[in-house]
Amino acid sequence: MAASATSSPSKAEAVRTMFTHIARRYDLMNSLMTGGRHHAWRRKAAESAAGAPGGPVLDLATGTADLAIAVRARTPGRFVAGADFSEGMLRVGRAKLRERRVARLQLLVADAQALPFRDGAFACVMSAFLLRNLDGLERGLAEMRRVTIPGGRVITLDIVRPAQPLWGAVFGAYFNHVVPAIGALVAGNRQAYTYLPQSVDRFVTPDELAELMEKVGLRDITYQRLGLGTIALHVGIA
Ligand SMILES: C[S@@+](CC[C@H](N)C(=O)[O-])C[C@H]1O[C@@H](n2cnc3c(N)ncnc32)[C@H](O)[C@@H]1O
C-alpha cells in the first residue's frame, strides 16, 4: 500500500466522525464481537511492550484507552501516553481513567500521520486496530518509527484475514453479516460495522505488513497470529 505525503482529509475526517459517533458503545461492541477476547490480545501486546528499553510508552490511536491501561497494569513504573484524533473516544477513555483511578497515564489529541512528538521521544510505540484506518499506512508506520528511540520497540495489533481458506470463509460470513447486524442493534450504526469488515478485506497481509515495517526502517520484525488467526501482533525494533 502506497504512502501519501499527508493523510487524505476526507478519509481521515470520515474515520474520525465515525469513531466519535460510536464512542459510547465502542467497548461494549468489542466485547460482544470478540466474546471478551480483545482484552487478552491487548495484554499480550502489553507483555511485549514490557520488553522494550526503559522509558515512556505511546499508545497511538488509543481510543478508549484499553491498551494504554493494559500497559500501565503490566509495567506500573512507566509513564504512558495515549493519543487519538477523536475527542469523543478520548472522552470515554478519560472517564475510564478517573473511574479506575489510573495514574501516570495521559491522553491527548494527535494525528497518527503527523505526530506532535520529537524524534525518539518514546521507548515503545504501539497501536491496536489503527492501521486499517490509515490511508497512508507507510507514512503512519514511519511516524511510529520516528518517535521511537533507536533500539526501542514498535508494536502493532490488528485484524487480518485468516490464512486458512475454509476458516476464512466462516470468519468472512460472521464479519460481513453478523457484525453489521450487532452494530446496528447495539451501537445504532450499521455503517461503522460494515466499514469494519471492508477495512479488513482491503488491509495488507501480515507478511506485507512486516515488509512495510522493514521498509520504514524497523528491523528484526516478528509477528504472531492470535484469535484463531484473525489478529496479528507485529513487533519491530527501531
Ligand atoms: C478501532 S479503534 C481502536 C482503539 C483502541 N486502540 C483499541 O484498541 O480499542 C481505532 C482508533 O483509531 C483512531 N484513529 C484513526 N485514524 C487516526 C489517525 N489518523 N490519528 C489518530 N487516531 C486515529 C480512531 O479515532 C479510533 O479511536
Side-chain angles (χ1 to χ4, degrees), residues 17 33 227:
T17 304
M33 283 187 304

Side-chain angles (χ1 to χ4, degrees), residues 15 19 26 30 42 59-63 84-86 89 110-113 128-130 132-134:
V15 167
F19 280 106
Y26 176 80
N30 278 350
R42 290 199 185 81
D59 172 23
L60 190 54
T62 190
D84 199 286
F85 72 177
S86 163
M89 293 288 275
D111 186 337
Q113 313 248 55
F129 314 113
L130 162 71
R132 281 170 297 105
N133 297 297
L134 298 178

Side-chain angles (χ1 to χ4, degrees), residues 58 60 81-83 108-111 114-122 143 146-147:
L58 173 65
L60 190 54
L108 58 122
V109 176
D111 186 337
L115 291 173
F117 306 116
R118 62 176 168 76
D119 294 1
F122 297 95
E143 274 295 85
R146 180 184 69 74
V147 300

Side-chain angles (χ1 to χ4, degrees), residues 9 16 62 72 77 87 116 125 129 169 180 191 200 204 210-211 215:
R16 191 201 332 237
T62 190
R72 281 291 295 130
E87 258 296 352
V125 176
F129 314 113
Q191 203 188 339
V200 175
V204 293
E211 277 168 30
K215 193 169 169 196

Side-chain angles (χ1 to χ4, degrees), residues 65-188:
D66 276 352
L67 178 59
I69 291 170
V71 173
R72 281 291 295 130
R74 176 61 186 80
T75 48
R78 284 189 198 258
F79 178 80
V80 181
D84 199 286
F85 72 177
S86 163
E87 258 296 352
M89 293 288 275
L90 291 177
R91 207 172 301 128
V92 175
R94 285 197 191 100
K96 203 183 288 179
L97 298 189
R98 272 196 305 275
E99 198 179 295
R100 299 186 193 177
R101 303 207 170 129
V102 180
R104 287 170 63 78
L105 199 172
Q106 195 182 341
L107 300 184
L108 58 122
V109 176
D111 186 337
Q113 313 248 55
L115 291 173
F117 306 116
R118 62 176 168 76
D119 294 1
F122 297 95
C124 179
V125 176
M126 326 175 66
S127 73
F129 314 113
L130 162 71
L131 301 179
R132 281 170 297 105
N133 297 297
L134 298 178
D135 55 353
L137 174 57
E138 195 177 318
R139 180 177 173 78
L141 291 170
E143 274 295 85
M144 291 179 81
R145 188 201 58 81
R146 180 184 69 74
V147 300
T148 307
I149 52 165
R153 286 190 182 195
V154 169
I155 300 170
T156 71
L157 194 63
D158 222 309
I159 309 174
V160 290
R161 294 181 298 277
Q164 216 277 329
L166 195 62
W167 167 230
V170 175
F171 171 74
Y174 170 72
F175 232 43
N176 284 298
H177 300 291
V178 181
V179 165
I182 304 175
L185 210 66
V186 176

